[in-house]
Amino acid sequence: MEIDRAIKESSDRRLQTKYNNAVYVIQRAFALYEFEQVAFSFNGGKDSTVLLHLLRAGYYLHKEKINYSNGNQPDCMLKCPIRTIYFECPCAFPEINSFTYETAAAYDLQLEIMRSDFKSGLESLLKEKPIKAIFLGTRIGDPNAVGQEQFSPSSTGWPPFMRVNPILDWSYRDVWAFILTCKVKYCSLYDQGYTSIGSIYDTVPNALLSTADSSSTKENFKPAYMLSDGRLERAGRAKKISSKCESTHVLSNGMDNTGAHRSSFLTASIIAVGDEILFGTAEDQIGATLCQKLYATGWQVAHIAVVQNDVFLFGGLGPLHSDVSVAGVAKAFGVCLLALLPEGITELLHHETLPVPLIKCRNVIIFAATNICELETQWECLLELSNTPLVQMAPFISKHLSTMLSDIETAQVISKLRMDFPDIYIGCHRKSRAGPLIISFVGKNKIRVELAAEKLSRRFHAGAFCEFSCD
């Protein structure tokens, strides 16, 4: 069988281990359920493409055992005519639809097309043809993977079936290592810079794969398998335009989070835990310092909050009744506490300088700092770690102008400017009502920042604005 042979001949030991574990899960499922009682959810994406060929290999090895026990020779060209569920959506890329139908025909998949939502489609499908287990291409970093294991019963309120997740522990790198090693076909969108594919309305090529230069007006992209950091796999998932599928409207003060430039920065939220801050007996200085640190690393802080000691995050670490940060993280991810740490999702980030390690739970990092000095130390240690979860992005460029013009004089011009420069944050503030108006321009492209500031200056008389330093 070509898949099994390609993996065994590979020198990639990690891939071999991932393959063997996934195939074991598949063979286990085929041993537990009749072939007619299982189905495969296929969506044309890279993860389900990998799962398809793992199913072919697992089915072959499963049949091989049966044939050998009966004294028969296995068929090396054996296909896997498994019931395959495809939820066809009007918002899907045409390339995804084409690839799905071509793949189903090539491997004799028993394709059953659903044109309703996932839950309703499953309910009607299971009423017509009972299914006990469904193979899914879910991976641990997916939004719906929280709390799932390789065999997980369906959630409350859903039709009863067993979710089988053979590639739950696979990384982005593992997926592409399998595809390239086994030389299997995949959707052409991945060769155009798409790294995670949703609908036509919420998916753009990953800007980290852009090969555009200043001399070219067309932006080109490297293929998806060249993305060096798999943690940025979903960087191309962003609202492009409103649609029939999604009609949510988002208002923002510039730095519009739409289009391809959305993936050029990452966002973070900061949560401070402490009743003493809310009571006014202590001042939160760490939050502001952390904002500065993230900004310098190229991250945008989307939200900062101070909460009581019944939620979570920096501070609130320890044995006291008010130390609830870790418990809050565990609750948010739907896992239990084991030895006072969220079970199954905790990674301790050790550094020789720190008396205790930092705590990472999936995409949440918990700092134990109680003052700015401790935060400075912990932040530097986080950056120095070889396995640091903090991705270094291109830094923000900022320019600040000062003017004594009134708000009424400048308001309409600045509003128009924000529409002309959706990729630039344009903000205004005064330190006092009688003081000057400070206009800030912030973005990743220095030329665009300078151009926006220059365009504002040109709309008023010479000398109306002067450059201002916010340091």
Side-chain angles (χ1 to χ4, degrees):
M1 201 273 173
E2 85 282 6
I3 300 296
D4 192 61
R5 183 170 59 253
I7 297 296
K8 288 180 178 177
E9 293 175 355
S10 169
S11 59
D12 190 335
R13 296 298 176 87
R14 174 187 169 93
L15 178 60
Q16 290 175 342
T17 300
K18 295 288 184 180
Y19 169 80
N20 290 333
N21 291 342
V23 166
Y24 173 79
V25 172
I26 291 168
Q27 289 181 280
R28 180 68 178 152
F30 284 143
L32 289 171
Y33 307 102
E34 297 291 333
F35 189 72
E36 294 75 19
Q37 296 175 331
V38 298
F40 163 45
S41 179
F42 187 57
N43 64 9
K46 63 186 185 304
D47 297 339
S48 61
T49 297
V50 166
L51 181 54
L52 164 63
H53 295 287
L54 287 171
L55 283 170
R56 292 180 56 236
Y59 183 63
Y60 168 79
L61 296 172
H62 174 69
K63 296 293 287 186
E64 184 181 49
K65 288 182 180 179
I66 297 175
N67 287 333
Y68 274 133
S69 64
N70 296 334
N72 299 324
Q73 190 70 20
D75 179 7
C76 291
M77 298 304 293
L78 186 70
K79 295 185 179 181
C80 183
I82 191 170
R83 289 179 63 186
T84 303
I85 308 169
Y86 178 53
F87 287 84
E88 187 178 82
C89 173
C91 304
F93 283 88
E95 294 88 343
I96 285 288
N97 285 332
S98 298
F99 175 73
T100 299
Y101 296 133
E102 291 168 4
T103 302
Y107 295 105
D108 287 345
L109 302 178
Q110 306 303 304
L111 198 63
E112 300 192 31
I113 302 171
M114 301 285 121
R115 291 185 172 87
S116 58
D117 65 273
F118 196 83
K119 185 178 179 181
S120 301
L122 278 182
E123 288 174 344
S124 60
L125 181 65
L126 268 61
K127 285 179 182 178
E128 296 175 11
K129 303 174 183 177
I131 294 174
K132 291 189 176 181
I134 300 178
F135 289 101
L136 302 168
T138 301
R139 291 193 290 117
I140 199 66
D142 294 343
N144 64 330
V146 176
Q148 288 205 48
E149 298 178 1
Q150 289 173 323
F151 286 86
S152 291
S154 55
S155 303
T156 303
W158 282 68
F161 65 93
M162 182 63 71
R163 293 176 289 189
V164 185
N165 303 307
I167 63 170
L168 188 64
D169 64 341
W170 283 43
S171 68
Y172 184 83
R173 178 262 184 203
D174 298 327
V175 167
W176 281 109
F178 178 90
I179 291 174
L180 298 177
T181 298
C182 297
K183 297 181 173 61
V184 297
K185 289 184 178 180
Y186 54 86
C187 179
S188 61
L189 290 173
Y190 292 111
D191 285 333
Q192 300 171 35
Y194 291 85
T195 52
S196 177
I197 301 174
S199 79
I200 58 175
Y201 298 110
D202 68 2
T203 309
V204 294
N206 195 321
L208 296 169
L209 294 173
S210 174
T211 59
D213 54 55
S214 57
S215 62
S216 173
T217 56
K218 182 181 179 182
E219 192 170 16
N220 296 312
F221 297 86
K222 293 180 286 188
Y225 57 79
M226 296 188 70
L227 183 68
S228 58
D229 192 337
R231 292 172 296 181
L232 299 175
E233 169 186 0
R234 298 179 68 84
R237 291 294 193 99
K239 279 188 175 61
K240 293 194 295 186
I241 54 176
S242 60
S243 69
K244 293 180 181 178
C245 298
E246 296 180 83
S247 57
T248 303
H249 298 280
V250 179
L251 298 178
S252 65
N253 184 25
M255 195 73 80
D256 183 12
N257 292 352
T258 61
H261 56 78
R262 166 67 175 84
S263 55
S264 65
F265 61 87
L266 297 176
T267 60
S269 295
I270 299 172
I271 305 177
V273 177
D275 286 338
E276 64 278 9
I277 300 175
L278 294 172
F279 292 157
T281 57
E283 183 181 355
D284 172 27
Q285 296 179 331
I286 298 178
T289 303
L290 197 51
C291 282
Q292 295 170 1
K293 296 291 184 186
L294 287 164
Y295 178 84
T297 315
W299 286 55
Q300 181 186 13
V301 176
H303 183 78
I304 183 167
V306 180
V307 298
Q308 292 180 314
N309 289 330
D310 58 358
V311 198
F312 59 101
L313 196 51
F314 59 78
L317 291 176
L320 299 176
H321 71 281
S322 58
D323 294 329
V324 296
S325 291
V326 173
V329 172
K331 184 176 181 180
F333 284 117
V335 299
C336 300
L337 283 178
L338 182 63
L340 296 181
L341 292 173
E343 182 180 9
I345 64 171
T346 298
E347 180 182 352
L348 299 180
L349 305 177
H350 296 274
H351 191 284
E352 57 184 12
T353 305
L354 300 177
V356 294
L358 299 174
I359 300 173
K360 175 178 178 290
C361 300
R362 295 204 176 128
N363 63 337
V364 175
I365 299 173
I366 304 175
F367 291 93
T370 59
N371 56 54
I372 294 176
C373 183
E374 291 176 0
L375 179 64
E376 293 276 2
T377 300
Q378 292 177 22
W379 182 266
E380 291 304 318
C381 291
L382 179 65
L383 294 180
E384 290 174 6
L385 293 174
S386 59
N387 62 333
T388 179
L390 191 66
V391 180
Q392 182 73 46
M393 301 294 289
F396 282 102
I397 307 297
S398 62
K399 188 179 183 70
H400 310 277
L401 298 181
S402 169
T403 181
M404 292 304 296
L405 293 170
S406 69
D407 293 356
I408 295 176
E409 291 175 287
T410 58
Q412 188 173 356
V413 176
I414 292 176
S415 295
K416 175 64 168 58
L417 200 64
R418 284 183 50 224
M419 297 179 65
D420 294 339
F421 293 85
D423 54 324
I424 304 298
Y425 167 84
I426 303 175
C428 308
H429 73 278
R430 294 180 187 272
K431 293 187 176 181
S432 69
R433 178 48 53 189
L437 177 67
I438 311 300
I439 301 102
S440 300
F441 302 85
V442 183
K444 293 293 185 85
N445 188 317
K446 184 177 181 180
I447 296 176
R448 293 279 293 168
V449 169
E450 294 285 354
L451 186 60
E454 181 184 347
K455 189 170 182 179
L456 175 64
S457 298
R458 287 204 308 263
R459 292 297 303 273
F460 296 90
H461 61 82
F465 294 90
C466 61
E467 195 158 346
F468 178 84
S469 176
C470 286
D471 297 336

